[in-house]
């Protein structure tokens, strides 16, 4: 049988009882064939620094414990060993301190939040039924050295799991290292690459070079490179010191002669003791399955809810459900065992596919398997213009290929790359597309990608409609939005312990950088095939968690089906009036010049208005305005919030703010949008980022069309430049006050619910409730204050912030907030509930089950904690609004198609959708879109407040909204 994906149990050990299986029972007496020794300290510190703060309910930090546990489970899953132990340092003082009192004396103390986790990590090791070994007076490295030497002497193969350079001296026949960060095996060649000498000479080089981290003195002035040269020349440290007088360089000769004793002492410090009188025998390290009850008790004590869920799922299925529950997060998809039943590790085999026969072989394997990871290599990042350079595929962990299609430069390394070096040997683009198309469009073959929207858009331009698909970026986002980024490189290190090849490593940097089409094929192969390989491994690691953590529905009904919708929107683009933009640019330039002249008059002299340094000197040194604060550079801060506070004292800050606003509009929009025009389509194509905000809100980039200011006349003029094609109109459909409606729903505020059902003016109602003004006598100023309170409360606004916003004293603003909560106590209760939920679980959820993780919710820093608490209050509201409009976006195209309407959805901006509609279909399209948006929660969710969508139609965007 094959290894269950992500299972905690090694092959043949899927028991959850205390009774040993035959395999486990015989392990204690069987010969040692494969031993893994884990450097516990390396695991602890890597886990601590890799994960965000995580605390139990009692406040104990457990992020290192959680990370350590996952890493060890992954190792248990991935290794093929019959013996395993984790080795720890027993304390800071060892026999080396008797040799040299200053040894490691300068090492800083561990962070205070890590110290309590050391004991818990050992407890985690024992809960997994793995020996946790330590011994007073000796470092973990000495114990590893002793056990490795003894195991190798018995004929076993030893793998030391560590990236510590001090352990490289142990590498020898039968002993290797595994770098868990890079997931890379380290042998003699890798040691030589690092130290310049083989493993047997490493201690001599270290003795000369010293080590500032451990306070090993070495010989002053001699580094690793020089030390290696000297040891190679003289053979050993002792010989070198005896013949130091022969050294020609005076400084080097004197340093060696004067520091002879230091060098010899340093060698004693760095050389590991391979004969420690160890207290545990190697036979005690036999791999055994953990006891379910013990492991569950540990997970429960640490409040590791996810691991509890996965352990329960695996236990209920007797281990067979591990493919779903996926306890471990390590490399999956390994090949089936050999006929003998022996489990063999996945080997990295990448193939360069340069002829049709080999391509067809890969395609047939993918058809037979029914799932394939796919990645494209292109000439750029703009999916609407980038040209296809090659395609990579993976069919298992380490089983990947690269199909070059449009490479241009002759490669090296003996490959047959074609005539005259003009182009490498590769399959003709048309032939490859013809053969790949049936596979990539087959509904019975799942295509896996990372940010697959990009690949789908590129392939669509070559006639391939990629479907169906899974996206590892979106799966990661659904699972852990807010905890970390979701780029492939970051996820590879986080979940697979593998550092990927960077784009710059194969293309170069700066002026010397080349395009991917010019990269020699042997370099392109490793980079491109690795992308598909890592994508496959991430999918195997992350996808099962969607079921175990009850997030599959969110992914399947909202995130995954949105990919083709956004791809179509990005491909459609939006038309702009270039003449209007150019005119605006000139007008903005003239207005900036006018403001600059006025700023010179107010300052009393000319200066660079765009220079914060010069502005600060004028405001605080010359005009003597109060509140000036200098930063690390010595310059005064002139951020907008500083200028806003100064505006009441002098007219110059207000002028600078006005100038900055116009300058931003000119550079960011009036000028930049002209440059963003796609010459092939004559339209502007933004890109929608799906894995950004933890709330699930989409963002717009390259260019950002969501942040065009609409409150100022200048900003609205930018939107007027977005126009419809002749014979069409722009249709804007916008949710009315959706976040306030969701506040009423989620917080259960009956007064607000009734007001929305009765279609009352919610801001006027709040003004009446808080300020005691009858609705019939409501004035615009009072209503605006209530509007600021309504929206400010859900963003956690303070009395200080509200006072500044509505122009009242802070005490008065505090009274308004107090009255607001008195009238709507459900909102305060909701806010407290969300804070507490976030503190307990680390996340809050939307009405559709989306998890919004909150880093810093239990941070000791009040500012960070306060920010996270405000996020906890707002995220369920904003996130639910994002889920609702996404559900609408998914449904609209199909509904329009069923009614034979030709409208195209162009943009999504927060709560608004923008369409381009034929003139004759405006009324019908408006009715369809409005109906879909107002019913977007159904049938999954029935709200007690109505959703209302407002419709606007015009020739340009500003007039339509």
């Amino acid at each position: 049988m094959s290894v269950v994906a992500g299972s905690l149990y090694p092959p043949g050990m899927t028991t959850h009882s205390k009774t040993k299986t035959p395999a486990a029972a015989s392990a204690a007496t069987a010969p040692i064939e494969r031993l893994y020794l884990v450097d516990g300290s390396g695991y602890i510190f890597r886990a601590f620094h890799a994960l965000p703060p995580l605390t139990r309910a009692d406040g104990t930090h457990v992020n290192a414990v959680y990370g350590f546990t996952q890493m060890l489970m992954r190792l248990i899953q991935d290794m093929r060993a019959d013996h395993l132990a984790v080795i720890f340092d027993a304390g800071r003082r060892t026999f080396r301190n008797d040799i040299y009192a200053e040894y490691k004396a300068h090492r800083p103390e561990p962070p205070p939040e890590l110290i309590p986790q050391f004991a818990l990590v050992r407890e985690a090791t024992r809960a997994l039924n793995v020996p946790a070994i330590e011994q007073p007076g000796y470092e973990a490295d000495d114990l590893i050295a002793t056990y490795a030497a003894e195991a190798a002497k018995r004929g076993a193969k030893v793998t030391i799991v560590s990236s510590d350079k001090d352990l490289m001296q142990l590498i020898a026949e039968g002993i290797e290292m595994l770098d868990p960060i890079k997931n890379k095996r380290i042998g003699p060649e890798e040691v030589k690459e690092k130290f310049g000498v083989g493993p047997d000479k490493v201690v001599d080089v270290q003795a000369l070079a010293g080590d500032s981290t451990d306070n090993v003195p070495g010989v002053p002035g001699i580094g690793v490179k020089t030390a290696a040269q000297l040891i190679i020349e003289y053979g050993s440290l002792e010989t070198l010191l005896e013949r130091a007088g022969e050294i020609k360089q005076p400084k080097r000769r004197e340093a060696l002669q004067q520091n002879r004793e230091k060098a010899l002492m340093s060698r004693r410090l760095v050389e590991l003791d391979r004969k420690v009188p160890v207290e545990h025998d190697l036979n005690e390290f036999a791999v055994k399955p953990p006891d379910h009850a013990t492991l569950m008790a540990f997970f429960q004590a640490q409040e590791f809810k996810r691991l509890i869920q996965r352990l329960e799922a695996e236990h209920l299925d007797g281990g067979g459900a591990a493919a779903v529950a996926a306890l471990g997060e390590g490399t999956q998809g390994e090949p089936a065992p050999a006929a003998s039943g022996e489990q063999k590790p996945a080997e990295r085999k990448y193939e360069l596919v340069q002829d049709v026969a080999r391509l067809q072989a890969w395609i047939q394997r993918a058809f037979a398997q029914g799932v394939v990871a796919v990645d494209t290599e292109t000439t750029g990042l703009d999916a609407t213009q980038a040209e296809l350079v090659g395609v990579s595929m993976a069919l298992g962990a380490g089983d990947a290929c690269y199909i070059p299609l449009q490479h241009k430069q002759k490669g090296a390394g003996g490959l047959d790359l074609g005539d005259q070096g003009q182009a490498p040997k590769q399959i003709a683009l048309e032939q490859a597309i013809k053969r790949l198309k049936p596979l990539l469009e087959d509904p019975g073959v799942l295509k896996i990608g990372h940010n697959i929207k990009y690949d789908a858009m590129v392939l669509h331009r070559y006639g391939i409609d990629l479907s169906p698909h899974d996206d590892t970026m979106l799966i990661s986002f659904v699972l852990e939005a807010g905890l970390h980024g979701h780029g492939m490189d970051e996820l590879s290190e986080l979940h697979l312990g593998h550092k990927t090849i960077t784009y710059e490593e194969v293309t170069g940097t700066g002026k010397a950088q080349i395009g991917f089409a010019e990269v020699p094929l042997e370099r392109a192969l490793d980079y491109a095939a690795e992308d598909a390989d890592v994508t496959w491994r991430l999918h195997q690691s992350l996808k099962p968690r969607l079921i175990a953590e009850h997030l599959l529905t969110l992914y399947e009904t909202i995130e995954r089906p949105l990919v083709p919708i956004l791809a179509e929107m990005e491909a459609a683009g939006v038309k702009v009036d270039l003449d209007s933009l150019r005119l605006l640019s000139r007008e903005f330039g003239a207005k900036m010049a006018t403001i600059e002249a006025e700023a010179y008059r107010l300052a009393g002299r000319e200066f660079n208005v765009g220079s914060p340094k010069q502005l600060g000197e004028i405001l605080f040194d010359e005009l003597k305005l109060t509140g000036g604060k200098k930063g690390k550079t010595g310059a005064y801060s002139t951020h907008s919030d500083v200028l806003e506070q100064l505006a009441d004292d002098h007219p110059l800050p207000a002028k600078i703010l006005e100038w900055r606003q116009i300058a931003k509009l000119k550079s960011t929009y009036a000028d930049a949008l002209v440059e963003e025009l796609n010459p092939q389509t004559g339209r502007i194509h933004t890109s929608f980022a799906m894995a950004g905000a933890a709330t699930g809100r989409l963002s717009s980039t390259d260019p950002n069309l969501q942040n065009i200011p609409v409150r100022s006349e200048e900003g609205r003029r930018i939107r007027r430049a977005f126009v419809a094609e002749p014979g069409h109109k722009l249709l804007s459909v916008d949710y009315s006050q959706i976040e306030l409606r969701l506040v009423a729903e989620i917080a259960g505020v009956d007064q607000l619910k009734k007001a929305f059902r009765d279609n009352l003016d919610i801001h006027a109602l709040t003004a009446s409730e808080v300020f005691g003004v009858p609705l019939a006598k409501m004035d615009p100023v009072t209503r605006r204050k209530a509007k600021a309170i309504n929206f400010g409360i859900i963003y956690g606004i303070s009395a200080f912030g509200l006072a500044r916003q509505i122009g009242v004293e802070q005490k008065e603003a505090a009274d308004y907030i107090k009255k607001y909560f008195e009238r709507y106590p459900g909102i305060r209760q909701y806010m407290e509930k969300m804070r507490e939920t976030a503190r307990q679980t680390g996340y809050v959820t939307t009405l559709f089950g989306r998890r919004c993780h909150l880093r810093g919710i239990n941070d000791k820093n009040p500012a960070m904690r306060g920010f996270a608490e405000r996020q906890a209050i707002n995220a369920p509201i904003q996130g639910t609004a994002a889920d609702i409009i996404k559900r609408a976006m998914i449904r609209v195209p199909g509904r329009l198609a069923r009614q034979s309407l030709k409208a195209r959805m162009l943009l999504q901006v927060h709560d608004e959708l923008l369409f381009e509609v034929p003139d004759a279909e405006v009324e019908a399209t408006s009715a369809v879109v409005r109906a879909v948006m107002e019913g977007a929660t159904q049938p999954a969710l029935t709200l007690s407040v109505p959703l209302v969508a407002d419709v606007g139609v015009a020739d340009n965007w500003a007039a339509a909204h």
Side-chain angles (χ1 to χ4, degrees), residues 511-525:
K511 294 181 180 179
Q513 188 173 50
I514 59 176
F516 199 81
E518 286 75 45
V519 173
L521 293 194
E522 64 276 11
R523 280 163 51 196
L525 168 63

Side-chain angles (χ1 to χ4, degrees), residues 194-331:
K194 183 173 184 63
F195 284 101
V197 296
D200 60 322
K201 301 295 182 183
V202 164
V203 290
D204 287 347
V205 170
Q206 288 182 302
L208 289 170
D211 188 338
S212 58
T213 303
D214 291 343
N215 208 29
V216 175
V219 176
I222 294 183
V224 171
K225 187 175 180 180
T226 301
Q229 293 171 346
L230 291 170
I231 295 301
I232 290 171
E233 182 177 354
Y234 290 92
S236 69
L237 177 65
E238 290 80 359
T239 303
L240 169 65
L241 295 175
E242 288 173 5
R243 298 170 57 185
E246 300 175 14
I247 303 293
K248 295 180 180 179
Q249 298 90 340
K251 288 187 178 179
R252 188 178 299 174
R253 181 175 63 248
E254 292 173 7
L256 287 166
Q257 290 174 331
Q258 293 174 8
N259 293 279
R260 172 187 171 84
E261 295 307 317
K262 277 187 179 179
L264 292 173
M265 179 188 69
S266 296
R267 193 183 197 286
R268 294 173 63 198
L269 293 176
V270 298
E271 186 170 23
L272 299 180
D273 187 346
R274 306 185 194 203
K275 295 183 178 180
V276 175
V278 291
E279 300 169 354
H280 298 272
D281 187 82
L282 282 171
N283 289 329
E284 297 177 37
F285 300 168
V287 172
K288 299 178 288 293
D291 173 61
H292 175 269
T294 301
L295 188 57
M296 178 62 77
F298 177 75
F299 286 170
Q300 289 172 339
Q302 308 316 315
E303 300 166 15
F304 292 161
K305 293 181 175 62
R306 294 182 193 170
L307 296 182
I308 291 169
Q309 291 172 354
R310 295 175 213 162
L311 184 59
E312 286 175 341
E314 182 169 324
H315 182 54
L316 288 173
D317 200 61
V324 173
L327 260 173
E329 291 187 355
T331 302

Side-chain angles (χ1 to χ4, degrees), residues 434-745:
K434 180 180 178 180
R435 284 165 172 77
L436 286 168
K437 182 178 172 69
L439 171 69
L440 299 182
E441 292 185 345
D442 191 294
V445 179
L446 176 66
K447 273 69 69 173
I448 306 166
H450 194 87
N451 188 21
I452 205 167
K453 172 163 63 74
Y454 176 87
D455 304 292
M457 291 182 67
V458 171
L459 291 170
H460 180 75
R461 292 175 35 239
Y462 289 84
I464 295 175
D465 291 322
L466 190 68
S467 178
H469 69 268
D470 257 351
D471 191 328
T472 48
M473 178 186 76
L474 296 182
I475 293 172
S476 172
F477 181 66
V478 167
L479 290 169
E480 297 180 340
L483 289 181
H484 50 73
H486 303 280
M488 187 184 71
D489 295 343
E490 182 173 350
L491 295 182
S492 179
E493 290 203 53
L494 182 64
H495 295 293
L496 308 179
H498 173 71
K499 185 174 178 61
T500 56
I501 302 168
T502 66
Y503 184 76
E504 289 73 19
E505 285 180 83
V506 295
T507 62
T509 59
K511 294 181 180 179
Q513 188 173 50
I514 59 176
F516 199 81
E518 286 75 45
V519 173
L521 293 194
E522 64 276 11
R523 280 163 51 196
L525 168 63
D526 286 344
Y527 174 82
E530 181 185 65
D531 281 356
D533 180 15
V534 167
T535 299
W536 174 277
R537 293 169 185 255
L538 286 173
H539 186 262
Q540 295 293 302
S541 175
L542 298 177
K543 182 69 182 285
R545 288 178 52 193
L546 292 174
I547 297 176
E549 298 179 32
H550 308 292
L551 291 168
L552 184 64
T553 298
L554 177 73
Y555 171 71
E556 295 284 0
T557 63
I558 295 182
E559 295 301 331
R560 184 159 81 159
L562 189 62
V563 171
I565 304 298
L566 293 177
E568 288 186 13
M569 292 168 63
E570 292 178 21
V574 59
K575 183 179 178 63
V576 294
D577 184 341
L578 292 181
D579 291 337
S580 294
L581 288 174
R582 293 186 181 110
L583 176 61
L584 269 178
S585 179
R586 290 194 294 271
E587 291 181 5
F588 287 159
K591 188 165 186 177
M592 289 168 62
T594 301
I595 296 173
E596 285 173 13
E598 180 63 12
Y600 298 157
R601 186 188 66 79
L602 293 170
R605 67 175 178 88
E606 291 190 7
F607 67 102
N608 183 350
V609 178
S611 168
K613 183 176 185 298
Q614 292 184 32
L615 175 62
E617 291 168 353
I618 288 175
L619 292 175
F620 301 113
D621 292 339
E622 298 176 22
L623 296 178
K624 305 298 183 183
L625 299 182
T626 59
K629 293 182 179 179
K630 291 186 177 182
K632 293 181 179 179
T633 63
Y636 289 105
S637 171
T638 59
H639 291 157
S640 57
D641 55 346
V642 175
L643 298 184
E644 286 170 2
Q645 293 181 26
L646 294 173
D648 293 336
D649 302 327
H650 197 279
L652 178 59
K655 281 294 173 186
I656 300 300
L657 287 171
E658 184 181 1
W659 183 90
R660 287 180 179 178
Q661 182 185 30
I662 302 299
K664 182 177 180 179
L665 288 171
K666 183 179 187 300
S667 63
T668 306
Y669 297 108
D671 294 340
L673 288 176
V674 174
E675 300 299 321
E676 292 283 354
L677 192 76
N678 185 319
Q680 299 172 14
T681 65
R683 295 164 75 93
I684 286 176
H685 302 263
T686 190
S687 177
F688 291 100
M690 300 181 68
T695 57
R697 290 184 76 168
L698 297 172
S699 59
S700 166
T701 60
D702 305 315
N704 182 351
L705 300 183
Q706 292 186 334
N707 285 355
I708 300 174
V710 293
R711 293 183 180 179
S712 67
E713 174 57 26
E714 291 85 359
R716 287 190 290 272
R717 290 186 66 189
I718 296 289
R719 279 198 169 192
R720 284 190 202 119
F722 289 78
V723 297
E725 292 284 357
H728 293 70
K729 290 286 189 290
L730 290 184
L731 167 68
S732 170
V733 189
D734 191 5
Y735 279 117
S736 172
Q737 299 176 332
I738 186 172
E739 292 192 2
L740 290 180
R741 293 171 189 269
L742 291 173
V743 169
E745 177 74 25

